[in-house]
Amino acid sequence: MLKFLHVTTSALALAFLYTSAAFAAQELIIKTDQTQLINISGNPGAVVIGNPSIADATVHGDKIFVHGRAYGSTNLIILDQSGNQLASLDITVQLGGLNNMMVYKAGARTSFVCAPICEATLQAGDNADWFSEIAKMNSRKSDMATGKSSGDSAPAPVAQ
């Protein structure tokens, strides 16, 4: 009887450890403006991200693409069609890219991507005036590319 109790207790302990390990959050580190592919076993029914302004996800079958939006930390939980947890990830999005460069002048930061010529880019934490000016230029460029003139109130229709 004592041997049976010991075997049963050991089996329960192993089952608990296996269950805990299966639901323990894995860590995913991704760079801003980059995407990383995650393969999971099973078809996801729901994908929930704690802060979608930091990371976002696209589901394609049993593959999930995680997109780094802004630097910071959040989490991702994937459930199957029945609501059972398939995966849990702690996500850290880092400002990254081998060609990214920040310039600090009098305490104000400006960001560039240099490959090999340096071009202005926007990153959270940049000097507010710099960020605003670059954002305006990017918006004007996007408007011209989509056929929207400065007097239009709505963007050009999207081709179907």
Side-chain angles (χ1 to χ4, degrees):
M1 174 78 165
L2 187 57
K3 185 175 182 178
F4 175 74
L5 182 61
H6 178 59
V7 171
T8 304
T9 305
S10 297
L12 287 172
L14 285 173
F16 176 76
L17 287 174
Y18 177 76
T19 303
S20 298
F23 291 114
Q26 297 175 328
E27 186 176 20
L28 174 64
I29 299 173
I30 190 167
K31 306 287 186 188
T32 55
D33 302 323
Q34 299 291 313
T35 299
Q36 191 161 338
L37 173 64
I38 299 173
N39 289 307
I40 58 170
S41 59
N43 289 322
V47 176
V48 181
I49 295 185
N51 186 341
S53 67
I54 293 174
D56 197 2
T58 301
V59 178
H60 185 72
D62 64 346
K63 294 175 177 45
I64 297 176
F65 298 89
V66 179
H67 318 286
R69 298 287 181 222
Y71 54 88
S73 296
T74 189
N75 68 318
L76 167 80
I77 297 173
I78 304 166
L79 305 175
D80 67 12
Q81 304 289 336
S82 301
N84 300 310
Q85 184 173 314
L86 294 174
S88 176
L89 294 102
D90 288 328
I91 300 172
T92 300
V93 178
Q94 299 176 337
L95 183 62
L98 297 175
N99 299 318
N100 288 4
M101 180 179 75
M102 277 55 129
V103 175
Y104 293 87
K105 183 175 180 182
R109 187 183 85 188
T110 54
S111 299
F112 299 88
V113 174
C114 302
I117 298 170
C118 293
E119 302 285 345
T121 189
L122 299 174
Q123 295 294 340
D126 281 346
N127 173 279
D129 293 335
W130 164 267
F131 193 97
S132 177
E133 191 59 34
I134 300 301
K136 285 180 200 172
M137 285 191 265
N138 283 346
S139 180
R140 279 187 243 138
K141 179 181 175 184
S142 177
D143 288 349
M144 288 190 295
T146 59
K148 179 180 172 187
S149 69
S150 60
D152 291 343
S153 60
V158 177
Q160 298 279 335

